[in-house]
Amino acid sequence: MLKISLDKLDKLFEAISASQTLYIPVDREDGAAEYKKYENGMKLSSALNTLRSAKDFFFPQTENLVDFKMEGQNIEVIDVREESEDFVIFGVRACDARSFTILDKVFLAEPVDSYYKNRRDHGTVVTMACTRPTETCFCGTFGIDAAAPEGDAACYSDGESLFIEAHNEKGQKFIDSISSLLEDGDTAKLEAVRAKTREILKKLPLANLTTDNFGGDKLNEYFNSDKWGELSESCLGCGTCTFVCPTCQCYDIKDFNTGHGIKRFRCWDSCMYSDFTKMAHGNPRLTQLERFRQRFMHKLVYFPANNNGEFGCVGCGRCLAKCPISMNIVKVMKALEVK
Amino acid sequence: MDKNLKEQVLRSSGVNVLKCMRCGKCSGTCPSYDEMEYHPHQFVYMVERGDIETLMHSKSIYKCLTCFACVDRCPRNVEPAKVVEAVRLAAVRQQGNNHMNPNQIPEMLDDDLPQQAIVTAFRKYIK
Amino acid sequence: MQEAMINKAKQLLADGTVDRVIGWKRGEFAYDITPAVFETAEELEKEFVFDDFTAANVSKYLVKESKKEGKILAFLKPCDTYSFNQLTKEHRVVRENVYIVGIPGGPKLDAEKIKAKGITGILGVKNENYTLKIDTVYGEETMPFYEAILDKCATCKSKKHVVYDELIGDEGEVLDSNRFDMVEKLENMTAQERYDFWRGELSKCIRCNACRNVCPACTCEKCVFDNPNSGVENKAPADSFEENMFHIIRAFHVAGRCTDCGECSRVCPQHIPLHLLNRKFIKDINSLYGEYQAGEDTTSRAPLNDYKQDDCETTVVHERGVE
Amino acid sequence: MKRIGVFVCHCGTNIAATVDVKAVAEALGHEPGVVISQDYQYMCSESGQNLVKNAIKEHNLTGVVVCSCSPRMHENTFRKAAASAGLNPYLVEIANIREQCSWIHKDIASATEKAIILGKAAVAKVHLNSPLTAGESPVVKRALVIGGGIAGIQTALDIAEAGFDVDIVEKNPTIGGKMAQIDKTFPTLDCAACILTPKMVEASQNEHITIHSFSEVADVKGFVGNFTVKIKKKARFVDETKCTGCGLCTEKCPMKKVPNEFNMGLDNRTAIYIPFAQAVPKVATIDPNYCMMLQKGKCGICSSVCSVGAIDYKQEDKIIEQQYGAIIVATGFNPIKLDKYDEFAYNQCPDVVTSLELERLMNAAGPNGGTLLRPSDKTHPHKIVFVQCVGSRCDDSKGKPYCSKICCMYTAKHAMLIREKYPDTDVYVFYIDVRTPGKNFDEFYRRAVEQYNVHYIKGMVGKVTPRSDGKIDVQASDLLANEQLHIDADMVVLAAAIEPDKTARPLATMLTTQMDTNDFFTEAHPKLRPVESATAGIFLSGACQGPKDIPETVAQASAAAAKAIGLLVKNSITCNPCVAHSDELMCNGCSSCEKVCPYGAITYIDKEFRMPDRTTAIRRVASVNPAVCQGCGACTVACPSGAMDLNGFSNSQIMSEVDAICK
Amino acid sequence: MQVNDNKDFQPLIVAFCCNWCSYAGADLSGTNRLNYPTNVKIIRVPCSCRVNPMFILRAFQRGADGVILCGCHPGDCHYTSGNYFTRRRMTLLFSMLDFLGIERDRTRVEWVSAAEGAKFAATMNEFTEAVRKLGPNRRLEDLRCRKQ
């Protein structure tokens, strides 16, 4: 496998950013990691994961769809779409890498979401294998190997060098563009590191959580479960879980009157919000219980029902860490599960 | 009539002579009234008319004790003493720099000189 | 303490004083505690928890719970009692339907602080003589207890319960906290520095509304930011202005009502020090209109619903500090 | 879909000279919803109004924007025009392009641009206007007169005459006010008491009039037609209903060294007292500061001599509450304190007196039984100096900037009376100007000069120095003779400026009426509405509005009464429909709005609601009484959820104006 | 490089005036032909206490460079106490804006009576000049609303 010494990472990033925009996770002052556009001198974060997921790159929180310009009583419609620039997201973890597969199923299915596709086509995802998974991780539950992430290209560290391999043509093109910096390397030590990581993954508190009892065919078992009341009673109805989630893909479309025109934009919505999917007749889910149920039923039942058994969760653990009242999909699965 | 002179007096006194309503309280209160050819209320009115030179040539400008009784009692805040002072200053300026040096004052003092005159002299000559 | 509380709850349930109990329920890990309502002794035995991580202020839940049939037992920490009192004052809770047992306050721990030390894979946390022994999948780690406490506990304003039906443990006192130090530090910066500081902080906002939804002062039936007819509704911070707008107006709406319970900053997934906005208002109110602690009583007039004829003019803002 | 008409007024050249009105009409014609946009010479003229009316009918307009002068000028005109054409009057908005545009700007291009923006803001607002209907609120058929001087008495008598109940609140133990203290009145020189006391008696006997003497207004709530007033009846320690006013108690009271305020402190009274013989109500009052029973618990003589048992040492202040439809303020005036005028030696020399003190000195019921004697040695003065404008027309902090108006005339009166009664007395009057406009006034003054030989000297007294021989040295200037005079006077009389009573300022706050910087009440219009305050239902009577002599005061008192009667005869008045209202679905019931409402218009009700989760719940929600609400909007900002909004100035309307301006 | 005194900059000033005093004061400055810049656009409100902080922020969002609030002098409020509430609200709001690093001179409260036409004009001249010196409002604007 091709590799580069870890102390030459700066050189690697400089080379990538010379030809296209590069995003890497960096540490913020408060210790949290976030993706930043690479500028010389930036250091790759060693954090397990970024606070916000990587979905922003393809599905940003707000996105302008179309403009209406108003002159007196006339309205002109302006298409604001532009071809996206090429960019690389480096250091995506296995869970987030899988989340793109899930988002693709939504946005690239017919009718294709051209805004999403535009970015997806121009973005190269370079993943990074995990070496220090934490207690909130449960990617294994969804068949994700944290030590062998997906993506256009994947990186692995053995503590000294960074190994890199392509998974597809886009990944190969990426590697080709930086090949002058790479050399062939021995993966023996790397394999040991990966084995160790896999050992740790097995020891994690959520290692035994499975989706065996969930899936598209479980609607009736769970929809009317009497557990929902208890599970949702302390839910604040905030959107933290949905906004840190790499797979939540619901959005709202709104018009903003700028005074001289209308900007029609979409922004993330949360099924936890009281006006979620509000329609002319009103709101289909009137109570927090219903909204709460929607979120988990969607991830564990509805999504697999519509997508060949694929679950709408990747086990990144962000919601476990961030929910203000510590209610999350793991607790829901454990409480709900009928074996 | 010298308009500049009027301007100068108005500016250096800072007084708005138009506020005077001719009540004569300044003259009614003035301790030097009998010594003066022109009295405080006349000062104000003559300055308003621009008749400054007459005042400058009158000994009245040196009779004002600057006791400020008129200033204190004027119901309109016109401050006649400041007008008198300004006219006096205008006269001094025209005479060139022949005014007294404050250091000369102590040797000129005698026991009969009223305390008020000394204090007001300092007020006048310190500038 | 946990034992005493469970016993108290069981006793009050048994003698019919209360029908339900609101407290905290243990989670998957050492720290992921969820506020919960218990109805039976068995549930209490099994799941009720009170430890260094039970920081959540349960008083806001009483807005809904106190309107249900029967009486509910609420375990309130000193800071929570201020929130409860404020809610009583604003007629948002039905005082008669709540039996309040005052319990000792913090300092409570912040799992995020432990994680920020680079400690991952946390399996258990033990407090031994104010040193935290943290069991992780990567071995045992230690850190000083006080380095892991919540910001809101580090600047605790009071250990006194302002309302209760009975107390477990000793009553504390109002503390002479240094809670305005950071506000003061910011006030002493230049306008440009302040602007840069807040831009940096507020630009992190993802408008998850956790701060608003956890806030015991934010109990509006419908928030103006959720109401399409209000003219200011917005769902996502589409422009830096909207980040400012949301947080300024939210702080303004709770000004004089915020008890400084610190929940907003505790729950912010982006660690934005939102409490500083509220504290700025509290500090201004204290210095301009006289000391006022929201929630201290249930009768006083909120400073913004009150005035004195000789109040300072708005120019006071121009006259002080640095521009 | 809105159908809005825009009408741009030229106002002759007032607008058209600086604003291109055609361009404004043209530009606004392109705004969304605008179906017709016209300009016209004088939009407020009958033909201009017809233009609006016809357009409303012809184009079936749902909103009208008039770009013209200030809405304070013609908003009502156009609202009425719209109403007569069948459009709700509150669907009319005015863009102020005269006072706030054409009159203040010179450059046509920028003024036109601004006029267009102001027009756009009005169009944006009118899009959100909704038809409003004015409600009605009943009028309580009772009036309150605050102050029982000649102004208050006259107003009360006139209102009672019209058949309405009226209450007088007087802070002193008796009504009568300043006029009761005056000896004679100018220019007729008839005795003040002779013409005042019959009116006082008439007031006390009129079945429609209730006199609350020794009382103060403690609180005023409500609004025109429906004021709720709390009146504090101060404890006088005498049961008014029992006391016959026989005066035995005042004779027997051992505490005889109390300065008599009715005689300006020139003599003494007893601790239990009746201010003067003709007092109304003629009831004794105990002065608790001097009464030995109340101070030390020893004495009780008055109680033992009172044959009807009217004395009640345990009496306490009592608050009574009453509803009124109209309130008339007649709080009157006082002479200013002369403490700051050292040059007149008022505080040093008892023979330097104010004019009001002179009135008492000359009055038959006064300290000397009507003989003019010097207060110091009770000798007859032979040379008296009057000083005019003491504290009046002053630009300094000591006095008042205004002319007190009455001094010239009463000084002439005093001078004349003294010369008449004591021809051996020399009387000097130092004046700045003598101001005597008024029927028979100048003739009166000339009589003092020509027939009574009063020495009128143009000039001001600069210094008054009491001498050891009992004479008073008056140093003054005689401006016409251009000399400084020294007069060795026996008495000096100072014509002190008059100022509004000190109780007026807090009262104005309670009544929400405006005052000028001198604490005189401000009339609604200086020429056209001189006896009304800007606050509906509050009228002004007498010197509380500005210095006045007796005939003028009485004239104004009757005018205020006429205005109040005009209000009281109505059964109801039309309310302003631009009031607050609460959206119950959004209301939290938190009470913030109630706390900031100055009118107490907001109450809370428990109401059953169907909640989002299909359950029903009882919630506490705010409810606004539209008859009480005056539409200030304080509640709308206090309400965090935005449940409270204001008709005519709603959140969305104001924001749409902001948007249009900032576009 | 931006010139410091921003001589050519035309700031947009939104003035909220209470109906009873300040709006009448503004009318009086018109009646007396006292000039102030066209930059000032007045919105009539019944009382200064009707002005919600949201309106002020809204104006800044939409491109206002300065917002001034005029009401009756304290004690003279047509509604007794409205301006007292205004004073507290605005003191706190302005203090908060200052805390967030927004330029202080962009906001102001001025008490203008119906008789103070001259004061109204002088205030508007002064305020416009102060805002002109600050330059365009960049810290509290919504980029989407910026004029193209």
Side-chain angles (χ1 to χ4, degrees), chain C residues 74-123:
Chain C
F75 288 110
L76 298 183
K77 304 189 293 297
C79 49
D80 306 345
T81 61
Y82 285 82
S83 305
F84 183 84
N85 243 5
Q86 185 64 25
L87 287 165
T88 309
K89 181 177 177 173
E90 294 173 8
H91 309 275
R92 301 296 285 151
V93 294
V94 183
R95 174 69 183 90
E96 305 78 66
N97 287 349
V98 185
Y99 189 91
I100 299 170
V101 172
I103 50 168
K108 298 289 179 186
L109 293 175
D110 184 354
E112 296 278 313
K113 286 243 166 87
I114 299 172
K115 292 179 184 176
K117 285 262 173 193
I119 298 170
T120 59
I122 301 166
L123 299 172

Side-chain angles (χ1 to χ4, degrees), chain D residues 252-313:
Chain D
K252 301 289 181 198
C253 177
M255 187 65 215
K256 297 192 191 299
K257 292 273 183 221
V258 186
N260 183 356
E261 47 283 87
F262 184 73
N263 278 336
M264 303 304 290
L266 293 165
D267 66 353
N268 292 325
R269 60 162 168 84
T270 46
I272 185 163
Y273 67 108
I274 296 172
F276 55 97
Q278 301 95 328
V280 170
K282 196 164 184 198
V283 174
T285 304
I286 295 181
D287 186 338
N289 295 322
Y290 292 94
C291 172
M292 289 195 290
M293 190 65 190
L294 291 170
Q295 285 287 322
K296 296 182 181 138
K298 285 180 209 152
C299 183
I301 291 173
C302 51
S303 177
S304 57
V305 299
C306 182
S307 56
V308 293
I311 309 292
D312 176 7
Y313 298 116

Side-chain angles (χ1 to χ4, degrees), chain B residues 19 21-31 33-34 37 39 41-42 72-77, chain D residues 341 343-344 392-396 398 401 432 458-463 475-477 479 482-484:
Chain B
K19 292 184 77 175
M21 62 176 179
R22 327 251 182 264
C23 74
K25 196 172 180 184
C26 47
S27 293
T29 201
C30 180
Y33 186 93
D34 292 337
E37 180 189 1
H39 306 116
H41 73 277
Q42 287 173 291
D72 185 48
R73 291 178 191 163
C74 174
R76 308 288 307 163
N77 269 336
Chain D
Y341 289 91
E343 64 263 39
F344 297 123
S392 297
R393 308 168 71 192
C394 277
D395 206 24
D396 53 24
K398 293 190 281 192
I432 304 170
K458 159 79 181 165
M460 194 58 184
V461 170
K463 211 163 118 192
Q475 180 185 312
S477 57
L479 291 178
N482 200 14
E483 60 181 333
Q484 194 175 59

Side-chain angles (χ1 to χ4, degrees), chain E residues 8-143:
Chain E
D8 299 326
F9 169 57
Q10 289 298 335
L12 174 60
I13 310 283
V14 175
F16 292 98
C17 290
C18 85
N19 181 48
W20 304 96
C21 288
S22 309
Y23 194 87
D27 279 353
L28 183 63
S29 76
T31 309
N32 293 341
R33 310 298 198 274
L34 300 168
N35 292 73
Y36 56 87
T38 50
N39 308 53
V40 178
K41 314 284 191 299
I42 296 171
I43 294 177
R44 184 165 70 126
V45 287
C47 175
S48 60
C49 70
R50 176 66 189 90
V51 178
N52 196 310
M54 288 194 275
F55 303 162
I56 294 172
L57 295 182
R58 177 84 162 203
F60 284 125
Q61 173 186 32
R62 305 271 154 167
D65 301 294
V67 177
I68 183 164
L69 201 68
C70 299
C72 309
H73 285 268
D76 291 347
C77 177
H78 179 77
Y79 305 101
T80 336
S81 52
N83 51 5
Y84 288 128
F85 292 118
T86 307
R87 189 163 60 179
R88 281 202 173 187
R89 289 168 185 165
M90 293 306 138
T91 302
L92 289 185
L93 176 72
F94 294 177
S95 180
M96 178 55 76
L97 293 178
D98 178 49
F99 191 58
L100 293 178
I102 313 300
E103 302 92 335
R104 294 167 177 180
D105 291 337
R106 290 203 190 278
T107 46
R108 187 155 157 191
V109 166
E110 197 68 53
W111 311 123
V112 179
S113 81
E116 293 174 323
K119 182 180 179 185
F120 186 85
T123 302
M124 292 305 147
N125 280 310
E126 228 173 83
F127 185 63
T128 309
E129 208 34 56
V131 176
R132 191 197 308 283
K133 283 204 182 107
L134 287 176
N137 158 36
R138 290 286 175 254
R139 292 183 179 175
L140 209 54
E141 71 167 341
D142 192 324
L143 281 174

